[in-house]
Amino acid sequence: EPPGLARLSPGAPPQAPDLLYADGLRAYAAGAWAPAVALLREALRSQAALGRARRDCGARCAAEPGAALPAVLLDAPDSGPGPAQGAWERLLLRAALRRAECLTQCGVQRLGPGGAARLRVGSALRDAFRRREPYNYLQRAYYQLKKLDLAAAAAHTFFVANPTHLQMREDMAKYRRMSRVRPQSFRDLETPPYWAAYDDGLELLGRQEAGLALPRLEEALQESLAQVESCRAGCEGPEEQQREEEEEEGTGGQGGLYETIAGHWIRVLQCRQRCVGDTATRPGRSFPVPDFLPSQLRRLHEAHAQVGNLSQAMENVLSVLLFYPEDEAAKKALNQYQAQLGEPRPGLGPREDIRQFILRSLGEKRQLYYAMEHLGTSFKDPDSWTPAAVIPEALREKLREDQEKRPWDHEPPQPKPLTHWKDVLLLEGVTLTQDARQLNGSERAVLDGLLTPAECGLLLQLAKDAAEAGARSGYRGRRSPHTPHERFEGLTVLKAAQLARAGAVGSQGAKLLLEVSERVRTLTQAYFSPERPLHLSFTHLVCRSAIEGEQEQRMDLSHPVHADNCVLDPDTGECWREPPAYTYRDYSGLLYLNDDFHGGDLFFTEPNALTVTAQVRPRCGRLVAFSSGGENPHGVWAVTRGRRCALALWHTWAPEHREQEWTEAKELLKEPEEEEEEEEEEEETPSRDPSPEPPSRRLQRVQDRVGKPPRVREEL
Ligand SMILES: O=C(O)CCC(=O)C(=O)O
Ligand SMILES: [Fe+3]
């Protein structure tokens, strides 16, 4: 029997997560897949049970009369005559003893002998669980057991929290290629549901569906608050104490009774204050959604106002004002709602949940600032709404200085509305393969999975058909403008639409070209420019082919090093944003369609145009996106065999440089049915589309040619 299985006797109280995990990994290493799965799952279950028990017990014991703090102690120490000297000490410590007793009993009831203390895990393991490491092992074990649905779910769960994990990226691609894995299999087994509610709410709002968005937005807010509570309960657990011991190790943090109590209490408060940020940080991200709660309240009041729920709009906007009393937009909205409501409604105030939340948080901040001023502890206030009055005078000056000195500490480097990221990461299996850091640059990214093999096939066919149509009309594939050793064919979206209209190419391909360019635009905007819309300014499908017999001793490039929106001077490294460069291009995208050619890798260089800093191999569905300026000089190595096709497109912030042809092409490609609706009586003119073929069949043909998705037997 593999090690550790004895731990899994049914009905027994949960075992310690770290022991289970260690046994699970041993079983895994021994290739005992089924026990590995059982143990790893039990480790996750036990860890979750521990969290739940702590939260529930915390809530229950806080509500227990004997264990709650006497009301008299809840007032500030200087608010009038308190209990007689020495009495508060007795009251406080008696309540603490009683609370500890309650928590211990509750833990034993919920988790068996030893309670929560028996299950506590070290910080390294806690981090591993936070990083969702067990899911990486789980997915492989499931895979070995041929449980592909679960394997894909586990892989996805891990990948969500580790979006740049290289191995998992490849594994994910393999799962996607497996015909027996359905898209629904890629589900997240861990992310708390409030993110789904939050994303749904935003999406519905984006579609002007305020009525449908409201329940989701409300759910998101309530569930985020619940998550904050759960996180806060965790702050009272032994882990915090342990962290404290670890941090103080070697610093001789041995105080007396009150120093120790105060020290521990400060840690608990610091931990609690971190909870909103934790709740607002999506799995796999380093930074929280900024102003998570106030911004949800803003959306709520606006949505309520839109559907005419004025009193709820009031409650929510008043809640925003609790965070930011000087918020001009909120004040204006408030006046408007008041005017619309007519007579004043005395009962109408801010939301109770938010009022409580703010009061409690401010109380904690006061204590933390007090300790900072008088005990020298540190506290980095995570909130931007803290009123200045809460910060002691003596600290204000210093904090301001720090802020000026180190702005990056206070402004996270990527304060983008992370909601859009969902689209980037999860849009039909798109994955972030390399980010700017991995590509040694500032604004660069490689994303994979934008096209299926069938779609690449369709676009390649389009390029081929268009080239043949050109040849028939006496227009031979030109030599490349960049090198005499290659041929070069470019097809714009408008040309593609015209050819489709004339029946020279399939309209499927032409439509796909439009659709895909929009897909790239959406992703590029989400990734690089979420707060400012990007427009397509130019799109074309480019194929470069090696001219046979002219490849010996080639020294030149397929595309010399250049920047896309400025004229690069390699001698000085400067880049002049002036004509003949296309100065209005802001972001570039290259979406590759194939890899069956030699050479042709894209590379980035230093501004000297010589030193290569990163290199990308084209392949079907891979998008390289980057800012178009002098920070991204790039070129293409010679294509020495075969034909390399890519969709090259540029995005602009300037609406006046939006591609007109795109709209024209869209018009041209409108379904005949749609046109018929407009011009009801028009006869169908067969010349337009000589041999219409049902789209499904045409797609099928492409699939036949590209080959079925390989039934992957590869070792993961
Ligand atoms: O095809 C490529 O990989 C790069 C092309 C390019 O840089 C351009 O057209 O500006
Ligand atoms: Fe370029």
Side-chain angles (χ1 to χ4, degrees), residues 544 559 562 564 590 592 602 634 636 644 646 648 650:
R544 306 154 187 261
H559 204 133
H562 63 282
D564 286 344
L590 297 158
Y592 297 110
L602 172 78
H634 58 281
V636 179
R644 171 200 196 264
W650 290 273

Short mmCIF file of all heavy atoms in Angstrom, two decimals, residues 544 559 562 564 590 592 602 634 636 644 646 648 650, ligand 1:
data_model
loop_
_atom_site.label_atom_id
_atom_site.label_comp_id
_atom_site.label_asym_id
_atom_site.label_seq_id
_atom_site.Cartn_x
_atom_site.Cartn_y
_atom_site.Cartn_z
N ARG A 544 5.52 35.91 -47.22
CA ARG A 544 6.86 36.06 -47.79
C ARG A 544 7.33 34.67 -48.17
O ARG A 544 7.29 33.77 -47.34
CB ARG A 544 7.83 36.61 -46.74
CG ARG A 544 7.39 37.88 -46.08
CD ARG A 544 8.01 38.02 -44.68
NE ARG A 544 7.42 39.18 -44.02
CZ ARG A 544 8.01 40.37 -43.97
NH1 ARG A 544 9.22 40.53 -44.47
NH2 ARG A 544 7.40 41.38 -43.40
N HIS A 559 13.10 41.26 -43.43
CA HIS A 559 12.61 42.61 -43.13
C HIS A 559 13.67 43.28 -42.26
O HIS A 559 13.93 42.83 -41.16
CB HIS A 559 11.27 42.52 -42.38
CG HIS A 559 10.43 43.74 -42.52
ND1 HIS A 559 9.09 43.70 -42.82
CD2 HIS A 559 10.74 45.04 -42.40
CE1 HIS A 559 8.62 44.92 -42.88
NE2 HIS A 559 9.59 45.76 -42.62
N HIS A 562 13.63 47.90 -37.98
CA HIS A 562 12.95 49.20 -38.07
C HIS A 562 12.04 49.35 -36.86
O HIS A 562 11.80 48.38 -36.12
CB HIS A 562 12.10 49.25 -39.34
CG HIS A 562 11.00 48.21 -39.33
ND1 HIS A 562 11.24 46.88 -39.61
CD2 HIS A 562 9.68 48.30 -39.03
CE1 HIS A 562 10.11 46.20 -39.49
NE2 HIS A 562 9.14 47.03 -39.13
N ASP A 564 8.02 50.88 -35.99
CA ASP A 564 6.85 51.01 -36.85
C ASP A 564 6.28 52.43 -36.93
O ASP A 564 5.56 52.73 -37.88
CB ASP A 564 5.75 50.04 -36.40
CG ASP A 564 6.07 48.60 -36.79
OD1 ASP A 564 6.96 48.40 -37.64
OD2 ASP A 564 5.44 47.68 -36.23
N LEU A 590 1.37 41.26 -34.83
CA LEU A 590 1.69 40.29 -35.88
C LEU A 590 1.09 38.97 -35.45
O LEU A 590 1.45 38.43 -34.41
CB LEU A 590 3.21 40.17 -36.01
CG LEU A 590 3.87 41.49 -36.45
CD1 LEU A 590 5.32 41.53 -36.08
CD2 LEU A 590 3.65 41.72 -37.94
N TYR A 592 0.60 35.25 -36.46
CA TYR A 592 1.18 34.30 -37.40
C TYR A 592 0.22 33.17 -37.74
O TYR A 592 -0.62 32.79 -36.92
CB TYR A 592 2.50 33.76 -36.85
CG TYR A 592 3.50 34.88 -36.69
CD1 TYR A 592 3.89 35.33 -35.44
CD2 TYR A 592 4.01 35.51 -37.81
CE1 TYR A 592 4.78 36.38 -35.29
CE2 TYR A 592 4.91 36.57 -37.68
CZ TYR A 592 5.29 36.99 -36.43
OH TYR A 592 6.15 38.04 -36.31
N LEU A 602 10.90 36.42 -35.97
CA LEU A 602 10.87 37.85 -35.66
C LEU A 602 11.87 38.10 -34.53
O LEU A 602 12.02 37.27 -33.65
CB LEU A 602 9.47 38.25 -35.19
CG LEU A 602 9.31 39.67 -34.66
CD1 LEU A 602 9.23 40.66 -35.81
CD2 LEU A 602 8.05 39.78 -33.80
N HIS A 634 12.59 46.16 -34.51
CA HIS A 634 12.43 44.74 -34.80
C HIS A 634 12.69 44.45 -36.27
O HIS A 634 12.67 45.37 -37.09
CB HIS A 634 11.03 44.26 -34.41
CG HIS A 634 9.95 45.01 -35.12
ND1 HIS A 634 9.54 46.27 -34.72
CD2 HIS A 634 9.20 44.71 -36.21
CE1 HIS A 634 8.58 46.70 -35.52
NE2 HIS A 634 8.36 45.78 -36.46
N VAL A 636 12.95 40.80 -39.32
CA VAL A 636 12.62 39.39 -39.59
C VAL A 636 13.82 38.75 -40.27
O VAL A 636 14.34 39.28 -41.26
CB VAL A 636 11.37 39.30 -40.50
CG1 VAL A 636 11.04 37.84 -40.80
CG2 VAL A 636 10.18 40.02 -39.89
N ARG A 644 5.94 32.11 -45.56
CA ARG A 644 5.62 32.54 -44.18
C ARG A 644 4.51 33.57 -44.27
O ARG A 644 4.66 34.63 -44.88
CB ARG A 644 6.86 33.17 -43.56
CG ARG A 644 6.66 33.87 -42.22
CD ARG A 644 7.84 34.80 -42.04
NE ARG A 644 8.04 35.29 -40.68
CZ ARG A 644 7.60 36.45 -40.23
NH1 ARG A 644 6.83 37.22 -41.01
NH2 ARG A 644 7.91 36.85 -39.01
N ALA A 646 1.49 35.97 -42.34
CA ALA A 646 1.11 36.61 -41.08
C ALA A 646 0.10 37.71 -41.35
O ALA A 646 0.09 38.31 -42.42
CB ALA A 646 2.34 37.22 -40.40
N ALA A 648 -0.58 41.26 -40.39
CA ALA A 648 0.11 42.37 -39.73
C ALA A 648 -0.89 43.49 -39.56
O ALA A 648 -1.59 43.84 -40.51
CB ALA A 648 1.30 42.82 -40.58
N TRP A 650 -1.90 47.34 -37.35
CA TRP A 650 -1.47 48.45 -36.49
C TRP A 650 -2.69 49.14 -35.90
O TRP A 650 -3.71 49.28 -36.57
CB TRP A 650 -0.63 49.43 -37.30
CG TRP A 650 0.68 48.82 -37.66
CD1 TRP A 650 1.83 48.83 -36.92
CD2 TRP A 650 0.98 48.07 -38.84
NE1 TRP A 650 2.83 48.12 -37.56
CE2 TRP A 650 2.33 47.64 -38.74
CE3 TRP A 650 0.25 47.69 -39.97
CZ2 TRP A 650 2.95 46.88 -39.72
CZ3 TRP A 650 0.87 46.94 -40.95
CH2 TRP A 650 2.21 46.55 -40.82
O1 LIG B 1 6.15 39.84 -40.19
C1 LIG B 1 6.76 40.18 -39.18
O2 LIG B 1 7.07 39.36 -38.29
C2 LIG B 1 7.19 41.60 -38.98
C3 LIG B 1 6.71 42.55 -40.02
C4 LIG B 1 6.95 43.97 -39.64
O3 LIG B 1 7.68 44.27 -38.75
C5 LIG B 1 6.25 45.06 -40.34
O4 LIG B 1 5.56 44.77 -41.31
O5 LIG B 1 6.38 46.21 -39.88
#
